[in-house]
Amino acid sequence: MSNLAMVAVVSAYNLRFIRYWDAEGRIVGDAGPKVTRSLPGVPGLRMFYDQSDVDAPHQDVNEVGRLVVEAFGLPRQDEMRWPFCIYLADAEGVPVDMPSWLRDRIQDEVSRARAATRA
């Protein structure tokens, strides 16, 4: 894995691109366990999140995030209450550098989702 492998951290209010290892420590932390799912709209695209956040009432509803992962092929979710990370992986599941076109597409999907939630 490249030390520069970047992920998109998508929360209810923010989109940030940070290094994979930093994101894993911030999003999953000690509570865990980490859940990983494929996003079939782009080969190799995956997401991860902390299972302990799924039903946590202190987590804000992440409607923007729900729309983004659905745009990338994840089946419809009733509700998402957690921040999560989107990353690109090789055939073995190891995170790799995210090309600029993919970062741009994620930003575009987040912008569309924000506009849809304001409408």
Side-chain angles (χ1 to χ4, degrees):
M1 172 189 333
S2 165
N3 287 335
L4 301 177
M6 301 295 278
V7 302
V9 180
V10 183
S11 71
Y13 307 104
N14 297 308
L15 168 66
R16 294 180 313 227
F17 290 92
I18 63 175
R19 288 189 315 243
Y20 180 90
W21 291 116
D22 293 334
E24 191 174 51
R26 290 180 190 173
I27 298 301
V28 179
D30 295 332
K34 179 173 108 175
V35 177
T36 303
R37 298 180 74 181
S38 291
L39 299 174
V42 174
L45 198 61
R46 298 176 179 222
M47 68 180 285
F48 72 80
Y49 56 91
D50 185 333
Q51 179 65 40
S52 68
D53 288 339
V54 171
D55 295 319
H58 69 278
Q59 292 287 349
D60 292 331
V61 173
N62 190 352
E63 183 67 12
V64 168
R66 181 184 67 79
L67 294 171
V68 170
V69 293
E70 287 175 6
F72 284 109
L74 193 69
R76 169 108 169 96
Q77 305 292 303
D78 290 332
E79 181 177 89
M80 293 179 73
R81 282 195 165 276
W82 60 88
F84 60 87
C85 295
I86 297 174
Y87 67 101
L88 189 62
D90 64 15
E92 288 80 37
V94 177
V96 296
D97 293 337
M98 188 182 291
S100 60
W101 67 264
L102 184 53
R103 286 192 304 268
D104 293 345
R105 174 141 182 240
I106 292 169
Q107 288 177 321
D108 290 345
E109 294 297 345
V110 167
S111 295
R112 276 193 275 283
R114 285 197 203 303
T117 59
R118 282 187 232 134

